[in-house]
Amino acid sequence: MSTTLTAPLPSKTVSPEARLAIRKVVVLGAGTRGAQVAAHLAGLGLEVALLDMVPPGTEDRSLLAKKALETLQKLKPSPLHLLSHLKGIRPGNFEDDWKELKDADWVFEAVIEDPDIKRQLFAKVASAVTKTAVVTSNTSGLGIGAMTQHLPLEFRKRFLGTHFFNPPRYLKLLETIPGPDTDPSVLAAMEAFCDRVVGKGVVRCKDTPNFIGNRIGSYGLGVVFRAMQDLDLTVEEVDTLTGSAIGRAKSATFRTCDIAGVDVVAKVAGNLYDLVPNDPEREVFKVPDFVKAMVERKWLGEKTGAGFYKKVGPDILTLDWKTLEYREKRKPQLASLEAAQNVADMGARINQILSGKDQAGKFLWRTLSATSFYAASLIPEISDDVVSVDRAMEWGYGWGMGPFRLMDA
């Protein structure tokens, strides 16, 4: 199976009559993802309104959205193209500013990952938008069709999933997920807009749990957890083996978990376990006991100051997953990795590490082969072509080679 073939992207050939004239976007939900998507869209010159709930017990009814805009100015790397782009975002709330939806071309939902809350919200949206507005959800894995099946067909035709990966300004991937009633011309036009105007690498997914990126990414993480425990490796050793050494992001596995939030990682895996009862590999999604303990202790990563790594003054401490104690960081001694570090070609380098008989070679063979074969087993469940799967993992997770290019190598 070769991945040198290119998968067709409908957005490249969309007909003129199907193109969308999107000038105003209303973002529902001023959390991390919603606020950062609003910032990215405002930087493109679009008119943006950012709405959230009215917080109880405060005089400022739009406080949540305003605080989100303040947070945008502090984040690094900055989600803003220019600081002045904040002026292009109007903060508001779901009650006083619901009128913003009346002339919106695109309504982008990014509220909490609760299917009941989303269904209630979309029922309210359906009665407020025009018949030409496109409405999308940023859900990272909930069923698109199930969110709006109680709403009129005309609304469902213009509804789909648009899943941005975090941080939205910097990660290339945008997963589009049509529901069972999504109009193909609306889907194609939205993909064209996100490709040409929003500047994303668009990958069309099927409406299956966690879509492409998070389905395979969650499995890959589960395999890493198991292999680390079975081979008795440390957090530093795993991050050394799963980062730039194999062409992946420098944040590797556990630094990425800290950035994303250990609780978020655990919740995504737990939700997936519940949603795929017939998956032969389902047990891989079970969260290890030490991760559950981290969540209970609020060791959630960057947002709480401690996760798999903890900064104490100028020092970075590492979690010992067996004792749940922090200790000084240790430099890994991995012979096969050190022997291959000067091999420039990534495929050749990975092959050389895999040929090693030490723990590094065993770990990478076990994790890379399992993840690649799992991805292959999901065709055509999650996608009809292997190129889309590779693009999702390369553009969304920073993998130098997606699972099929990796198998070719």
Side-chain angles (χ1 to χ4, degrees):
M1 183 182 292
S2 174
T3 57
T4 55
L5 302 174
T6 56
L9 182 62
S11 62
K12 301 295 186 183
T13 57
V14 63
S15 61
E17 62 271 18
R19 290 175 185 162
L20 294 173
I22 294 179
R23 299 178 182 85
K24 178 180 178 180
V25 185
V26 176
V27 177
L28 303 177
T32 301
R33 198 73 53 92
Q36 292 198 36
V37 169
H40 182 64
L41 297 178
L44 304 175
L46 297 171
E47 179 185 353
V48 181
L50 178 63
L51 311 183
D52 210 314
M53 297 184 298
V54 175
T58 59
E59 292 184 8
D60 190 341
R61 291 167 61 83
S62 299
L63 183 64
L64 294 180
K66 290 178 181 177
K67 279 192 169 182
L69 297 187
E70 292 176 4
T71 301
L72 289 175
Q73 302 176 58
K74 304 173 185 176
L75 296 177
K76 294 181 181 180
S78 176
L80 295 159
H81 299 262
L82 295 171
L83 189 60
S84 60
H85 290 158
L86 278 176
K87 297 176 183 177
I89 306 174
R90 287 194 302 279
N93 64 74
F94 289 165
E95 296 176 20
D96 305 323
D97 303 290
W98 201 248
K99 58 184 179 293
E100 292 277 11
L101 276 70
K102 291 182 179 179
D103 60 347
D105 303 305
W106 177 13
V107 177
F108 176 82
E109 172 272 317
V111 301
I112 188 172
E113 285 283 85
D114 183 303
D116 291 330
I117 290 175
K118 289 181 187 289
R119 279 193 288 266
Q120 294 170 21
L121 182 66
F122 286 126
K124 190 178 176 184
V125 170
S127 63
V129 295
T130 66
K131 293 182 179 180
T132 58
V134 177
V135 181
T136 72
S137 174
N138 187 66
T139 177
S140 58
L142 297 177
I144 297 299
M147 288 183 196
T148 56
Q149 61 187 4
H150 60 302
L151 298 176
L153 177 61
E154 284 305 310
F155 180 82
R156 301 200 304 268
K157 285 182 177 180
R158 305 188 70 79
F159 179 77
L160 62 140
T162 49
H163 178 215
F164 286 80
F165 275 62
N166 205 34
R169 178 185 169 189
Y170 297 97
L171 283 186
K172 184 175 180 178
L173 179 63
L174 174 70
E175 293 181 324
T176 56
I177 312 96
D181 301 306
T182 304
D183 186 322
S185 66
V186 172
L187 174 64
M190 195 64 192
E191 288 176 330
F193 179 82
C194 290
D195 173 28
R196 296 169 180 167
V197 179
V198 183
K200 293 299 167 186
V202 178
V203 171
R204 184 181 296 182
C205 307
K206 294 188 178 182
D207 192 5
T208 56
N210 284 33
F211 315 131
I212 295 176
N214 284 341
R215 178 75 173 271
I216 297 173
S218 295
Y219 179 85
L221 178 60
V223 169
V224 164
F225 280 145
R226 286 188 166 200
M228 176 179 73
Q229 294 174 89
D230 291 347
L231 297 172
D232 195 23
L233 296 177
T234 66
V235 165
E236 298 104 321
E237 287 171 333
V238 170
D239 270 359
T240 300
L241 287 167
T242 58
S244 54
I246 59 169
R248 295 187 179 179
K250 287 177 65 177
S251 54
T253 297
F254 295 115
R255 175 69 181 129
T256 298
C257 287
D258 279 355
I259 295 170
V262 177
D263 55 331
V264 174
V265 170
K267 185 176 182 179
V268 169
N271 288 345
L272 192 50
Y273 181 85
D274 294 335
L275 292 170
V276 291
N278 299 317
D279 189 329
E281 296 288 305
R282 184 187 186 208
E283 295 304 307
V284 173
F285 299 117
K286 277 192 173 179
V287 179
D289 289 340
F290 70 85
V291 175
K292 293 178 183 177
M294 291 173 68
V295 174
E296 289 172 1
R297 299 181 187 196
K298 305 297 182 185
W299 296 349
L300 308 181
E302 270 195 353
K303 58 188 174 185
T304 61
F308 288 101
Y309 296 99
K310 179 180 180 180
K311 188 170 183 180
V312 179
D315 301 318
I316 303 293
L317 304 182
T318 305
L319 180 69
D320 184 324
W321 59 266
K322 290 181 286 187
T323 64
L324 287 177
E325 296 177 349
Y326 287 96
R327 54 163 175 75
E328 290 185 2
K329 204 172 181 180
R330 302 170 186 164
K331 186 176 181 180
Q333 302 293 322
L334 301 164
S336 61
L337 182 63
E338 292 172 6
Q341 63 183 352
N342 293 323
V343 179
D345 180 78
M346 190 56 61
R349 183 191 306 171
I350 292 173
N351 274 316
Q352 183 166 329
I353 300 171
L354 293 178
S355 67
K357 304 301 181 184
D358 61 353
Q359 297 292 76
K362 292 176 182 177
F363 172 85
L364 279 186
W365 171 252
R366 178 168 169 175
T367 55
L368 296 182
S369 63
T371 304
S372 292
F373 282 124
Y374 183 67
S377 76
L378 296 177
I379 301 291
E381 178 188 344
I382 63 172
S383 176
D384 287 328
D385 65 272
V386 300
V387 178
S388 292
V389 173
D390 275 355
R391 285 174 173 167
M393 302 317 297
E394 292 167 7
W395 294 347
Y397 273 77
W399 290 11
M401 289 185 285
F404 295 99
R405 287 213 298 138
L406 180 65
M407 285 194 283
D408 279 354

